[in-house]
Amino acid sequence: KMDGDPPPQASVEEDRLTFKVFVFDKGSAQLIGDGNTLDAHALQLQQHVSTFVAGHIWQHDSLRFAVVQPERDDVPLHIGGCVRFGDNIEDEWICIALLFAITQQFPDTIVQLHDSDGEVLLIEAALDLPKWLEPDTSDDRIFVANGKLQIVPPPSPAPGYGSLPPDPTCMQALAIVRASLLMLRGDAGTGGAVTAATEASAAIQQTIHQRIQGYPSAAIRDSKHRCFCHIPKSVAMLLRTRPQLLSAAVRCFYERGPEDLKSASAMQRFGKDEWVREKVHFTKCLFAQLSKQQFYAPKGFVLPPKEDPNFAQHERGMKVAAAFEMLYTHDAPPEEEPCCFSQTDELPILPQPLSHTQTGGVGGGVKDDE
């Protein structure tokens, strides 16, 4: 028997966060609809968030911004993206916190977001929502602007609310939110839009901001886990230069099938390397996915006795090495390839002086760092 219990199978629809960023002319109710201008804004947003997430190992996708052609006629041209976060919900809230921060740093932007479960912000603030707001009445009503949650209200007899659409389109909702923001700023450039207030209640704002407090910086810092692993030298070099590859490798290991086990047993790519003791940077989620699964050593791997003080780092290293071998030979559909590992980005050719069965003695005498 080469392996323990079968790993969980990959779901057809992975947990993901999808977002849209709508950009307006400065101080105006006019949306920017020029693709080149939006490209420049997308680059600006990317540069802004990169300073906060430098060095973070994403579970699957990183937060990326690109101009998106809308699929619906009532949705204007915008900047958007999709982040698959899988089992690491921390990545989702890192992205949400950054999107909130973007609307503060760039006050002429409005963000719309949802995840695989629907309106994630409404789910978080469920106890504080107005009674009229239900999942079937929330379409194109929930936005983020000026660092706060915005809710497009229904029509009512109150002044400024009587002409609100009962079922707003995305374009209508954006105009209403933008008009509310301009009104709060005392800006006259509302373009004639209805000036109903869209800022959600203080209770809702407090709930959301308590949830994202400490994100992204503290969350990224607290998610890190470092430990020693006994791994092939070329894997160590890859992890030093391209640490994001670890998430793709662990993903292959976690969702491994019979063909993946065959490649791990053969170790044709990394098996002849010299093995070294290397401190590997995980996230807590990736570390748990790798270390908590039972995985018997494939043929050719030699582990020290369990009572050896370095057994744990050798066992972890075996899993990391197997994971990278699986990743190297994995034949996933192009659309499912992690963004950190493309078919055109080949692994470096490195010296391979030793067999992977020659693991004894490397890193010996150094106590494992859990």
mmCIF file of all heavy atoms in Angstrom, residues 156-189:
data_model
loop_
_atom_site.group_PDB
_atom_site.id
_atom_site.type_symbol
_atom_site.label_atom_id
_atom_site.label_comp_id
_atom_site.label_asym_id
_atom_site.label_seq_id
_atom_site.Cartn_x
_atom_site.Cartn_y
_atom_site.Cartn_z
ATOM 1 N N SER A 156 -39.475 54.436 -1.502
ATOM 2 C CA SER A 156 -40.285 54.687 -0.305
ATOM 3 C C SER A 156 -40.805 56.120 -0.379
ATOM 4 O O SER A 156 -40.357 56.917 -1.218
ATOM 5 C CB SER A 156 -39.454 54.480 0.959
ATOM 6 O OG SER A 156 -38.538 55.548 1.146
ATOM 7 N N PRO A 157 -41.761 56.470 0.503
ATOM 8 C CA PRO A 157 -42.308 57.841 0.471
ATOM 9 C C PRO A 157 -41.325 58.916 0.921
ATOM 10 O O PRO A 157 -41.584 60.101 0.741
ATOM 11 C CB PRO A 157 -43.500 57.755 1.438
ATOM 12 C CG PRO A 157 -43.829 56.304 1.551
ATOM 13 C CD PRO A 157 -42.535 55.595 1.405
ATOM 14 N N ALA A 158 -40.194 58.534 1.492
ATOM 15 C CA ALA A 158 -39.243 59.528 1.996
ATOM 16 C C ALA A 158 -38.711 60.395 0.856
ATOM 17 O O ALA A 158 -38.563 59.921 -0.274
ATOM 18 C CB ALA A 158 -38.090 58.827 2.706
ATOM 19 N N PRO A 159 -38.427 61.674 1.136
ATOM 20 C CA PRO A 159 -37.902 62.571 0.094
ATOM 21 C C PRO A 159 -36.626 62.009 -0.549
ATOM 22 O O PRO A 159 -35.707 61.584 0.141
ATOM 23 C CB PRO A 159 -37.596 63.865 0.870
ATOM 24 C CG PRO A 159 -38.500 63.813 2.060
ATOM 25 C CD PRO A 159 -38.619 62.376 2.421
ATOM 26 N N GLY A 160 -36.624 61.988 -1.887
ATOM 27 C CA GLY A 160 -35.476 61.483 -2.629
ATOM 28 C C GLY A 160 -35.526 59.993 -2.890
ATOM 29 O O GLY A 160 -34.687 59.468 -3.628
ATOM 30 N N TYR A 161 -36.497 59.304 -2.295
ATOM 31 C CA TYR A 161 -36.568 57.844 -2.431
ATOM 32 C C TYR A 161 -37.737 57.393 -3.296
ATOM 33 O O TYR A 161 -37.799 56.236 -3.699
ATOM 34 C CB TYR A 161 -36.697 57.181 -1.054
ATOM 35 C CG TYR A 161 -35.443 57.256 -0.211
ATOM 36 C CD1 TYR A 161 -35.064 58.460 0.389
ATOM 37 C CD2 TYR A 161 -34.653 56.151 0.003
ATOM 38 C CE1 TYR A 161 -33.921 58.548 1.167
ATOM 39 C CE2 TYR A 161 -33.509 56.219 0.778
ATOM 40 C CZ TYR A 161 -33.146 57.428 1.360
ATOM 41 O OH TYR A 161 -32.022 57.512 2.125
ATOM 42 N N GLY A 162 -38.677 58.277 -3.576
ATOM 43 C CA GLY A 162 -39.887 57.883 -4.281
ATOM 44 C C GLY A 162 -39.647 57.400 -5.694
ATOM 45 O O GLY A 162 -40.367 56.526 -6.199
ATOM 46 N N SER A 163 -38.637 57.925 -6.368
ATOM 47 C CA SER A 163 -38.383 57.551 -7.759
ATOM 48 C C SER A 163 -37.323 56.467 -7.923
ATOM 49 O O SER A 163 -36.892 56.181 -9.037
ATOM 50 C CB SER A 163 -37.962 58.792 -8.555
ATOM 51 O OG SER A 163 -36.790 59.364 -7.989
ATOM 52 N N LEU A 164 -36.897 55.869 -6.806
ATOM 53 C CA LEU A 164 -35.917 54.789 -6.905
ATOM 54 C C LEU A 164 -36.524 53.576 -7.612
ATOM 55 O O LEU A 164 -37.690 53.240 -7.381
ATOM 56 C CB LEU A 164 -35.436 54.368 -5.513
ATOM 57 C CG LEU A 164 -34.551 55.351 -4.755
ATOM 58 C CD1 LEU A 164 -34.278 54.837 -3.346
ATOM 59 C CD2 LEU A 164 -33.236 55.572 -5.488
ATOM 60 N N PRO A 165 -35.769 52.906 -8.455
ATOM 61 C CA PRO A 165 -36.299 51.725 -9.157
ATOM 62 C C PRO A 165 -36.490 50.557 -8.187
ATOM 63 O O PRO A 165 -35.633 50.321 -7.327
ATOM 64 C CB PRO A 165 -35.235 51.416 -10.197
ATOM 65 C CG PRO A 165 -33.976 51.998 -9.645
ATOM 66 C CD PRO A 165 -34.383 53.216 -8.871
ATOM 67 N N PRO A 166 -37.599 49.813 -8.294
ATOM 68 C CA PRO A 166 -37.815 48.670 -7.395
ATOM 69 C C PRO A 166 -36.825 47.534 -7.636
ATOM 70 O O PRO A 166 -36.458 46.827 -6.706
ATOM 71 C CB PRO A 166 -39.248 48.237 -7.710
ATOM 72 C CG PRO A 166 -39.531 48.785 -9.073
ATOM 73 C CD PRO A 166 -38.741 50.034 -9.199
ATOM 74 N N ASP A 167 -36.391 47.377 -8.862
ATOM 75 C CA ASP A 167 -35.393 46.351 -9.217
ATOM 76 C C ASP A 167 -34.310 47.001 -10.060
ATOM 77 O O ASP A 167 -34.319 46.928 -11.302
ATOM 78 C CB ASP A 167 -36.042 45.201 -9.997
ATOM 79 C CG ASP A 167 -37.088 44.476 -9.176
ATOM 80 O OD1 ASP A 167 -36.734 43.968 -8.095
ATOM 81 O OD2 ASP A 167 -38.257 44.424 -9.614
ATOM 82 N N PRO A 168 -33.348 47.644 -9.414
ATOM 83 C CA PRO A 168 -32.358 48.424 -10.172
ATOM 84 C C PRO A 168 -31.441 47.550 -11.019
ATOM 85 O O PRO A 168 -31.072 46.439 -10.628
ATOM 86 C CB PRO A 168 -31.563 49.138 -9.076
ATOM 87 C CG PRO A 168 -31.709 48.261 -7.875
ATOM 88 C CD PRO A 168 -33.092 47.688 -7.970
ATOM 89 N N THR A 169 -31.108 48.061 -12.194
ATOM 90 C CA THR A 169 -30.049 47.441 -12.981
ATOM 91 C C THR A 169 -28.714 47.846 -12.383
ATOM 92 O O THR A 169 -28.637 48.735 -11.522
ATOM 93 C CB THR A 169 -30.110 47.897 -14.441
ATOM 94 O OG1 THR A 169 -29.840 49.308 -14.483
ATOM 95 C CG2 THR A 169 -31.468 47.594 -15.053
ATOM 96 N N CYS A 170 -27.656 47.232 -12.844
ATOM 97 C CA CYS A 170 -26.331 47.593 -12.350
ATOM 98 C C CYS A 170 -26.025 49.060 -12.638
ATOM 99 O O CYS A 170 -25.526 49.786 -11.769
ATOM 100 C CB CYS A 170 -25.275 46.693 -12.971
ATOM 101 S SG CYS A 170 -23.590 46.987 -12.391
ATOM 102 N N MET A 171 -26.339 49.523 -13.839
ATOM 103 C CA MET A 171 -26.092 50.922 -14.201
ATOM 104 C C MET A 171 -26.884 51.870 -13.312
ATOM 105 O O MET A 171 -26.356 52.889 -12.840
ATOM 106 C CB MET A 171 -26.448 51.146 -15.668
ATOM 107 C CG MET A 171 -25.468 50.508 -16.652
ATOM 108 S SD MET A 171 -23.916 51.429 -16.795
ATOM 109 C CE MET A 171 -24.451 52.820 -17.795
ATOM 110 N N GLN A 172 -28.146 51.542 -13.061
ATOM 111 C CA GLN A 172 -28.968 52.391 -12.200
ATOM 112 C C GLN A 172 -28.415 52.421 -10.778
ATOM 113 O O GLN A 172 -28.338 53.482 -10.145
ATOM 114 C CB GLN A 172 -30.411 51.887 -12.195
ATOM 115 C CG GLN A 172 -31.160 52.120 -13.493
ATOM 116 C CD GLN A 172 -32.529 51.452 -13.489
ATOM 117 O OE1 GLN A 172 -32.718 50.385 -12.898
ATOM 118 N NE2 GLN A 172 -33.492 52.084 -14.155
ATOM 119 N N ALA A 173 -28.040 51.254 -10.272
ATOM 120 C CA ALA A 173 -27.519 51.179 -8.909
ATOM 121 C C ALA A 173 -26.221 51.967 -8.763
ATOM 122 O O ALA A 173 -26.021 52.676 -7.761
ATOM 123 C CB ALA A 173 -27.299 49.721 -8.527
ATOM 124 N N LEU A 174 -25.344 51.870 -9.741
ATOM 125 C CA LEU A 174 -24.098 52.622 -9.689
ATOM 126 C C LEU A 174 -24.362 54.126 -9.672
ATOM 127 O O LEU A 174 -23.705 54.880 -8.941
ATOM 128 C CB LEU A 174 -23.213 52.268 -10.884
ATOM 129 C CG LEU A 174 -22.527 50.905 -10.844
ATOM 130 C CD1 LEU A 174 -21.925 50.561 -12.197
ATOM 131 C CD2 LEU A 174 -21.453 50.867 -9.758
ATOM 132 N N ALA A 175 -25.328 54.566 -10.485
ATOM 133 C CA ALA A 175 -25.668 55.994 -10.518
ATOM 134 C C ALA A 175 -26.190 56.459 -9.168
ATOM 135 O O ALA A 175 -25.872 57.561 -8.702
ATOM 136 C CB ALA A 175 -26.701 56.254 -11.610
ATOM 137 N N ILE A 176 -26.975 55.616 -8.504
ATOM 138 C CA ILE A 176 -27.540 55.972 -7.198
ATOM 139 C C ILE A 176 -26.443 56.048 -6.141
ATOM 140 O O ILE A 176 -26.397 57.003 -5.345
ATOM 141 C CB ILE A 176 -28.625 54.952 -6.796
ATOM 142 C CG1 ILE A 176 -29.814 55.039 -7.747
ATOM 143 C CG2 ILE A 176 -29.074 55.178 -5.359
ATOM 144 C CD1 ILE A 176 -30.779 53.883 -7.645
ATOM 145 N N VAL A 177 -25.548 55.058 -6.130
ATOM 146 C CA VAL A 177 -24.454 55.068 -5.156
ATOM 147 C C VAL A 177 -23.533 56.248 -5.398
ATOM 148 O O VAL A 177 -23.137 56.960 -4.457
ATOM 149 C CB VAL A 177 -23.664 53.749 -5.218
ATOM 150 C CG1 VAL A 177 -22.419 53.830 -4.325
ATOM 151 C CG2 VAL A 177 -24.530 52.578 -4.803
ATOM 152 N N ARG A 178 -23.215 56.507 -6.649
ATOM 153 C CA ARG A 178 -22.321 57.624 -6.967
ATOM 154 C C ARG A 178 -22.956 58.949 -6.570
ATOM 155 O O ARG A 178 -22.281 59.832 -6.016
ATOM 156 C CB ARG A 178 -21.996 57.608 -8.465
ATOM 157 C CG ARG A 178 -21.031 58.704 -8.906
ATOM 158 C CD ARG A 178 -19.672 58.582 -8.247
ATOM 159 N NE ARG A 178 -18.713 59.512 -8.847
ATOM 160 C CZ ARG A 178 -17.489 59.722 -8.386
ATOM 161 N NH1 ARG A 178 -17.081 59.094 -7.294
ATOM 162 N NH2 ARG A 178 -16.669 60.563 -9.000
ATOM 163 N N ALA A 179 -24.247 59.105 -6.822
ATOM 164 C CA ALA A 179 -24.930 60.335 -6.440
ATOM 165 C C ALA A 179 -24.919 60.527 -4.935
ATOM 166 O O ALA A 179 -24.732 61.648 -4.434
ATOM 167 C CB ALA A 179 -26.376 60.302 -6.957
ATOM 168 N N SER A 180 -25.089 59.438 -4.192
ATOM 169 C CA SER A 180 -25.043 59.519 -2.732
ATOM 170 C C SER A 180 -23.673 59.962 -2.248
ATOM 171 O O SER A 180 -23.549 60.812 -1.356
ATOM 172 C CB SER A 180 -25.403 58.154 -2.135
ATOM 173 O OG SER A 180 -25.270 58.156 -0.734
ATOM 174 N N LEU A 181 -22.626 59.436 -2.855
ATOM 175 C CA LEU A 181 -21.265 59.814 -2.473
ATOM 176 C C LEU A 181 -20.973 61.275 -2.789
ATOM 177 O O LEU A 181 -20.389 62.005 -1.971
ATOM 178 C CB LEU A 181 -20.256 58.929 -3.199
ATOM 179 C CG LEU A 181 -20.283 57.430 -2.860
ATOM 180 C CD1 LEU A 181 -19.388 56.662 -3.816
ATOM 181 C CD2 LEU A 181 -19.843 57.200 -1.421
ATOM 182 N N LEU A 182 -21.380 61.714 -3.979
ATOM 183 C CA LEU A 182 -21.154 63.109 -4.357
ATOM 184 C C LEU A 182 -21.934 64.058 -3.467
ATOM 185 O O LEU A 182 -21.468 65.156 -3.131
ATOM 186 C CB LEU A 182 -21.527 63.308 -5.824
ATOM 187 C CG LEU A 182 -20.642 62.579 -6.841
ATOM 188 C CD1 LEU A 182 -21.185 62.767 -8.258
ATOM 189 C CD2 LEU A 182 -19.193 63.041 -6.762
ATOM 190 N N MET A 183 -23.131 63.639 -3.075
ATOM 191 C CA MET A 183 -23.930 64.460 -2.172
ATOM 192 C C MET A 183 -23.237 64.612 -0.818
ATOM 193 O O MET A 183 -23.184 65.696 -0.242
ATOM 194 C CB MET A 183 -25.312 63.827 -1.986
ATOM 195 C CG MET A 183 -26.239 64.618 -1.054
ATOM 196 S SD MET A 183 -27.857 63.823 -0.879
ATOM 197 C CE MET A 183 -27.389 62.282 -0.085
ATOM 198 N N LEU A 184 -22.658 63.512 -0.304
ATOM 199 C CA LEU A 184 -21.957 63.570 0.971
ATOM 200 C C LEU A 184 -20.734 64.478 0.897
ATOM 201 O O LEU A 184 -20.366 65.129 1.876
ATOM 202 C CB LEU A 184 -21.520 62.168 1.400
ATOM 203 C CG LEU A 184 -22.620 61.242 1.922
ATOM 204 C CD1 LEU A 184 -22.045 59.854 2.204
ATOM 205 C CD2 LEU A 184 -23.248 61.810 3.191
ATOM 206 N N ARG A 185 -20.115 64.527 -0.293
ATOM 207 C CA ARG A 185 -18.943 65.391 -0.472
ATOM 208 C C ARG A 185 -19.333 66.836 -0.728
ATOM 209 O O ARG A 185 -18.465 67.713 -0.804
ATOM 210 C CB ARG A 185 -18.107 64.902 -1.653
ATOM 211 C CG ARG A 185 -17.518 63.521 -1.501
ATOM 212 C CD ARG A 185 -16.710 63.187 -2.753
ATOM 213 N NE ARG A 185 -16.496 61.767 -2.898
ATOM 214 C CZ ARG A 185 -16.004 61.197 -3.983
ATOM 215 N NH1 ARG A 185 -15.680 61.954 -5.030
ATOM 216 N NH2 ARG A 185 -15.833 59.896 -4.051
ATOM 217 N N GLY A 186 -20.622 67.066 -0.935
ATOM 218 C CA GLY A 186 -21.064 68.410 -1.274
ATOM 219 C C GLY A 186 -20.753 68.786 -2.692
ATOM 220 O O GLY A 186 -20.637 69.969 -3.033
ATOM 221 N N ASP A 187 -20.600 67.756 -3.556
ATOM 222 C CA ASP A 187 -20.281 67.982 -4.959
ATOM 223 C C ASP A 187 -21.566 68.108 -5.759
ATOM 224 O O ASP A 187 -22.483 67.294 -5.633
ATOM 225 C CB ASP A 187 -19.452 66.809 -5.506
ATOM 226 C CG ASP A 187 -18.745 67.161 -6.803
ATOM 227 O OD1 ASP A 187 -19.415 67.689 -7.697
ATOM 228 O OD2 ASP A 187 -17.536 66.904 -6.899
ATOM 229 N N ALA A 188 -21.650 69.113 -6.600
ATOM 230 C CA ALA A 188 -22.862 69.351 -7.384
ATOM 231 C C ALA A 188 -22.936 68.499 -8.639
ATOM 232 O O ALA A 188 -23.954 68.474 -9.321
ATOM 233 C CB ALA A 188 -22.959 70.825 -7.780
ATOM 234 N N GLY A 189 -21.856 67.779 -8.962
ATOM 235 C CA GLY A 189 -21.814 67.051 -10.228
ATOM 236 C C GLY A 189 -22.505 65.711 -10.188
ATOM 237 O O GLY A 189 -21.919 64.704 -10.556
#
